[in-house]
Amino acid sequence: EPEVTQTPSHQVTQMGQEVILRCVPISNHLYFYWYRQILGQKVEFLVSFYNNEISEKSEIFDDQFSVERPDGSNFTLKIRSTKLEDSAMYFCASSSGLRYQETQYFGPGTRLLVL
Amino acid sequence: GNSVTQMEGPVTLSEEAFLTINCTYTATGYPSLFWYVQYPGEGLQLLLKATKADDKGSNKGFEATYRKETTSFHLEKGSVQVSDSAVYFCALSDFNTGNQFYFGTGTSLTVIP
């Protein structure tokens, strides 16, 4: 069964450093998402992406964050200058459609620790 | 706004026990409701979903009924197995707020033999 993959599974970085989290969505999906979960808190929506553009973003997704689909298979989340509060599990997801009933398929997550 | 509230964990049950994980929601529109499960080291997997009131989603012995009158979508299983040990997430998406999902905090379930 097709699945969303994410790399790396764990990343440790120093405050102020840039990190890039990578995702390979399901191959025939057109809509891509990033979510994050700070330890003990809810999974929160960050951004959705379609047709090489951001379609929605949350208040969390400020200028420190960017997303890109650099080629036909990868979808990346970049944090330009990491802060301690960026420490979280980051989930990538994809879906084939955009209707609100559509299932989103999630990857296993990247655990980011900012020191 | 939209939000999901799940019962606090962790939950520990003996094998073959009955499971209920409570989920209630607040939505501005008419949401679709989902249960996702995360096994250790894996991604969030869709367990079941319901897109309109009184719909029952079911999969792998798990069930949840979309109750509009009580704004609930409680997850149940009649007889849990050790292999059901995982974290369970309740989520909603809402016609009025596009395609972002709103999640609960997740409930960790451990089933002991």
Side-chain angles (χ1 to χ4, degrees), chain A residues 31 33 35 37 40-43 45 48 55-56 58 89 91 98-109, chain B residues 3-4 30-32 34 36 38 41-44 46 49 51 89 93-95 97-101 103-105:
Chain A
Y31 303 90
Y33 314 87
Y35 292 79
Q37 185 180 30
Q41 298 184 24
K42 296 185 177 185
V43 176
F45 170 79
S48 60
S55 49
E56 280 181 83
S58 71
M89 178 73 91
F91 294 104
L98 194 58
R99 293 178 311 136
Y100 73 106
Q101 302 101 324
E102 204 73 42
T103 298
Q104 294 182 13
Y105 294 85
F106 286 78
Chain B
S3 67
V4 173
Y30 196 30
S32 289
F34 303 79
Y36 280 82
Q38 186 179 31
E42 300 183 18
L44 297 169
L46 178 70
K49 73 180 193 182
T51 58
F89 293 88
S93 65
D94 187 343
F95 176 79
T97 52
N99 53 341
Q100 63 174 285
F101 275 28
F103 282 89
T105 51

Side-chain angles (χ1 to χ4, degrees), chain A residues 1 50 85 99-100:
Chain A
E1 185 175 330
Y50 167 69
E85 54 265 36
R99 293 178 311 136
Y100 73 106

Side-chain angles (χ1 to χ4, degrees), chain A residues 42-106:
Chain A
K42 296 185 177 185
V43 176
E44 302 170 291
F45 170 79
L46 294 178
V47 66
S48 60
F49 190 86
Y50 167 69
N51 199 26
N52 282 321
E53 287 184 346
I54 290 173
S55 49
E56 280 181 83
K57 61 181 181 179
S58 71
E59 292 176 354
I60 303 167
F61 194 87
D62 61 21
D63 292 344
Q64 292 295 320
F65 292 90
S66 62
V67 289
E68 189 179 27
R69 185 140 165 92
D71 53 43
S73 59
N74 289 283
F75 179 50
T76 62
L77 174 69
K78 182 192 291 187
I79 309 174
R80 288 192 183 82
S81 179
T82 50
K83 308 186 190 77
L84 296 177
E85 54 265 36
D86 294 327
S87 295
M89 178 73 91
Y90 288 81
F91 294 104
C92 174
S94 68
S95 65
S96 57
L98 194 58
R99 293 178 311 136
Y100 73 106
Q101 302 101 324
E102 204 73 42
T103 298
Q104 294 182 13
Y105 294 85
F106 286 78

